[in-house]
Amino acid sequence: MTDIALTPAPRRRRRRRLPLGLVVRYLVLLGTIALTIFPLAWLVITSLRNSADIFAVPVRVLPESVTYDQYVSVFSQYGLADYLWNTVAVSVATVVLVILIGVPCAYAMARFRLPGAKIVISVLLIMRMIPVVALAIPLFAVFASIGLLDTLTALVLTHTASKLPVAIWLLMGFIQDLPKEIEESAQIDGAGTVRTLVQIVSPLIAPGIGAAAVITFLFTWNDLLIALTLSSSEAAQTLPVGLTNFVSQFGIDWGAMSAAGVLMVIPTLVFVWFAQGLLVKGLVSGAVRG
Amino acid sequence: MSLAASPAGLQRRRKSPLVPSWQTGYLLAGPALIVMIAILIYPLGYSFVMSFYRWDLAAPSQHFVGLSNYTDTLGNGGFQQSLRVQLIFSALTIAIEVVAGIGVAVLVNGRLRGLKLARTLLLVPPMIAPAVVGLNFRWLFNGQYGLVNGVLRFLGLPEAPWLSDPNWALASVIIADVWQNTPLLVLLFLAGLQSLPQEPLEAAQVDGASPLDIFWHITLPLMRPIIMIALMLRIIDTFRTFDVVWLMTQGGPGGATSLITVNAYQLAFQGAAFGHAAAVSYIALFLSLALLGLLYGIPWARRKLRRAP
């Protein structure tokens, strides 16, 4: 009875009060969207201008004419293809390696009573906190001593090792959420450990594997510091290092740099659009569990 | 099939547990552990040891110098400046990002049209390369041709020496970092808000509490665990920040934006002082560990965090 009597009152109150509050909230939402998009939009706009337009004073907000010259010149003049290829090769190889050796490791850590597992897990967590530069300094010396400086191999090895802790941590969470009974019945049906992992567990944690792969790919793709330290020529330099070369070697060619920047951002946009769920899963469980 | 198998599994679990043997486990975990030991643990241990040596790649012999790399570093003016810059950068970015993150999350939480699109868009800045963010803000803040000064001129306001003046340069770097990382906190806080228990909020509404009271006395205390997680994430990350700064200012002008990582990088790869650089990078790690320890030392934070994962 009281419930029924009470409900109309707040509704009436809300109807009167809502507009102002709602307007403020929509303004905040709009402002957030605008502030998020605007710097990126400017990057795209700059990449579509010709040089005269870029160096116009006063600044023109909209380009006088749209040109793709900057995109052509990053390939023809600045040899972006090499950087692009290196970045793709390193990122893809890293993802494959991280998943291939990370999934079995996560499975073993999550399901087997390994002696020393607790130590390994706490080391995994601490690894996330290490500044990359602390790793880059000794790795430079190590790779120099074995002649692997300025090779894609060194980059792939380094990225694999440094992305493994997060990937394993993420995958462990997904495996622990599986009911054990499924694996037990598989084993009773005669499947060995490896077969259980490959045929039963892996398909069930496919979203986890996807999330780990996407996160690993993007963080490798985006990396500047490791590639900057370990590579010195077109043989192994990646796109972010290429961006720094735009600054030092050629003065600053803002149009070409923006075009290169746009090309760098495209994979992120693709993953955000098509694999948003996986990304959020990866980020949130990585954040909350870490 | 699974129906038939599960009772049998229940019966047999005691006799033969799923766990086969730890040898099999280590075979599975082995490759990953070996890679991490060889390429993470060993180099980090090596550089920790070398932080007590005079370590110069060109010199054939390296001799033990005890703590002198650390004492030299702590007494060095360049390092002291970069420590100051780091603390200002971390304090300001974290404060702005957490406050703005909570504010935006609380205000846009609920049934707003376009919120779904906003969630998608908010994922973009945290996931794009910090190098591109640095480059882009360097262009936006360009003194002569940059959009920001262009707009200021258009509005008849004085232009700012964004990247050429030490204080403005630090502000520019902070703005770029805030742009990139606040969205992630908004998403984190939105997720936190949605997992809050609804009863206390409804009870307060029925009692006629104002929205500000509800936020201050109910929402905020309930969100403590997620705020702690955000703080920890950002403390860890600000002490690792390098890329944005490197592309915007390379630590300049005059060291005004040289975060500790920038200082370590310059010592190692522009000054060839590897021992010093190793000491600096370890000081950065100790500092962020100490800050996390401080945070963890707050009793209510510890309680909430234990419950969170």
Side-chain angles (χ1 to χ4, degrees):
Chain A
M1 271 304 282
T2 39
D3 279 356
I4 297 165
L6 272 173
T7 32
R11 237 183 230 166
R12 218 178 290 150
R13 211 195 297 152
R14 226 179 260 162
R15 240 176 232 162
R16 262 181 228 155
R17 209 198 287 156
L18 262 183
L20 182 68
L22 207 59
V23 168
V24 172
R25 291 173 63 198
Y26 268 111
L27 281 179
V28 171
L29 185 63
L30 267 179
T32 308
I33 293 176
L35 279 175
T36 306
I37 292 181
F38 148 76
L40 283 176
W42 192 245
L43 186 73
V44 176
I45 292 174
T46 305
S47 76
L48 294 172
R49 290 167 182 250
N50 60 42
S51 300
D53 215 21
I54 287 171
F55 294 110
V57 177
V59 175
R60 294 181 194 136
V61 173
L62 289 175
E64 289 210 315
S65 61
V66 170
T67 166
Y68 301 102
D69 290 355
Q70 310 290 1
Y71 289 89
V72 176
S73 92
V74 289
F75 286 101
S76 62
Q77 248 183 291
Y78 296 120
L80 200 80
D82 285 340
Y83 299 125
L84 194 61
W85 161 247
N86 290 340
T87 319
V88 171
V90 169
S91 307
V92 171
T94 302
V95 169
V96 171
L97 271 175
V98 164
I99 297 302
L100 271 184
I101 65 179
V103 171
C105 181
Y107 183 60
M109 307 286 293
R111 283 296 197 240
F112 296 22
R113 286 188 210 112
L114 295 186
K118 276 195 175 163
I119 300 172
V120 175
I121 289 170
S122 43
V123 170
L124 289 184
L125 284 179
I126 292 176
M127 282 305 144
R128 286 198 53 200
M129 304 178 47
I130 307 277
V132 181
V133 72
L135 187 62
I137 291 166
L139 274 179
F140 179 84
V142 170
F143 284 126
S145 69
I146 55 176
L148 274 181
L149 273 189
D150 204 21
T151 62
L152 295 180
T153 314
L155 292 185
V156 172
L157 284 173
T158 308
H159 281 300
T160 302
S162 63
K163 303 319 179 257
L164 266 174
V166 175
I168 291 173
W169 190 247
L170 214 158
L171 288 163
M172 274 175 63
F174 279 87
I175 294 169
Q176 277 159 350
D177 288 346
L178 288 183
K180 268 188 180 169
E181 282 70 21
I182 301 172
E183 291 150 67
E184 282 169 346
S185 45
Q187 303 221 310
I188 284 152
D189 288 348
T193 309
V194 173
R195 212 175 136 198
T196 309
L197 174 59
V198 174
Q199 294 193 341
I200 312 288
V201 175
S202 297
L204 289 172
I205 57 161
I209 295 177
V214 172
I215 297 268
T216 302
F217 181 89
L218 283 181
F219 284 160
T220 306
W221 178 270
N222 288 348
D223 161 78
L224 167 68
L225 191 43
I226 289 173
L228 188 65
T229 323
L230 300 181
S231 60
S232 52
S233 75
E234 285 80 12
Q237 284 186 331
T238 56
L239 272 173
V241 183
L243 291 180
T244 69
N245 288 353
F246 275 93
V247 181
S248 47
Q249 254 171 266
F250 310 104
I252 303 185
D253 184 343
W254 290 110
M257 239 168 112
S258 301
V262 170
L263 291 175
M264 263 222 75
V265 170
I266 286 175
T268 311
L269 297 181
V270 171
F271 281 123
V272 165
W273 195 255
F274 291 105
Q276 189 188 351
L278 291 182
L279 255 177
V280 171
K281 246 178 220 151
L283 287 176
V284 168
S285 60
V288 173
R289 289 170 204 268
Chain B
M1 204 178 88
S2 60
L3 276 178
S6 53
L10 284 173
Q11 279 168 6
R12 279 196 211 171
R13 202 192 294 168
R14 270 176 232 130
K15 282 182 212 157
S16 63
L18 172 67
V19 187
S21 65
W22 61 270
Q23 286 97 333
T24 321
Y26 268 114
L27 275 180
L28 287 176
L33 294 182
I34 290 169
V35 168
M36 287 190 289
I37 289 169
I39 302 171
L40 290 180
I41 315 263
Y42 165 70
L44 286 169
Y46 179 60
S47 87
F48 186 64
V49 171
M50 292 314 280
S51 70
F52 301 102
Y53 280 76
R54 183 164 318 279
W55 182 15
D56 182 348
L57 284 190
S61 70
Q62 294 140 354
H63 50 266
F64 187 74
V65 293
L67 281 171
S68 86
N69 279 331
Y70 286 90
T71 50
D72 284 0
T73 299
L74 292 173
N76 177 283
F79 174 77
Q80 288 167 356
Q81 184 188 20
S82 94
L83 184 62
R84 204 164 45 237
V85 169
Q86 178 72 59
L87 292 178
I88 296 172
F89 175 84
S90 292
L92 284 181
T93 51
I94 293 174
I96 297 171
E97 286 164 12
V98 170
V99 171
I102 293 175
V104 171
V106 166
L107 283 169
V108 303
N109 186 35
R111 282 184 206 153
L112 291 190
R113 272 162 182 255
L115 183 59
K116 219 182 148 207
L117 174 72
R119 277 168 187 274
T120 308
L121 285 173
L122 285 175
L123 259 180
V124 175
M127 294 316 292
I128 62 179
V132 175
V133 175
L135 144 83
N136 192 30
F137 275 85
R138 183 177 182 159
W139 172 229
L140 284 165
F141 286 136
N142 184 291
Q144 225 180 331
Y145 309 108
L147 180 67
V148 177
N149 269 354
V151 169
L152 289 176
R153 263 195 301 262
F154 178 75
L155 295 173
L157 295 168
E159 295 169 33
W162 291 104
L163 295 171
S164 48
D165 172 86
N167 290 330
W168 284 98
L170 186 55
S172 311
V173 171
I174 289 173
I175 291 172
D177 190 86
V178 166
W179 178 81
Q180 173 154 47
N181 291 307
T182 309
L184 189 63
L185 294 192
V186 172
L187 291 173
L188 196 65
F189 291 138
L190 274 174
L193 281 171
Q194 262 143 26
S195 66
L196 291 188
Q198 292 303 307
E199 298 85 24
L201 296 172
E202 281 163 12
Q205 268 172 351
V206 171
D207 289 348
S210 75
L212 204 64
D213 279 340
I214 293 178
F215 170 72
W216 201 249
H217 295 293
I218 298 173
T219 314
L220 213 50
L222 283 173
M223 281 186 50
R224 268 181 192 169
I226 203 102
I227 294 173
M228 292 304 298
I229 290 168
L231 282 175
M232 293 198 146
L233 278 178
R234 292 308 300 146
I235 288 176
I236 293 173
D237 279 350
T238 53
F239 277 87
R240 297 167 44 130
T241 305
F242 175 86
D243 302 11
V244 180
V245 175
W246 193 252
L247 270 138
M248 274 179 88
T249 60
Q250 296 215 312
T257 55
S258 76
L259 301 180
I260 295 185
T261 51
V262 175
N263 187 249
Y265 179 85
Q266 285 174 328
L267 281 173
F269 299 107
Q270 293 174 348
F274 269 61
H276 275 138
V280 170
S281 66
Y282 269 95
I283 292 173
L285 178 63
F286 294 148
L287 259 176
S288 65
L289 279 174
L291 283 173
L292 291 182
L294 266 180
L295 208 60
Y296 199 69
I298 305 170
W300 60 257
R302 189 167 56 232
R303 234 176 16 247
K304 302 281 181 183
L305 271 175
R306 276 216 191 112
R307 219 177 295 155

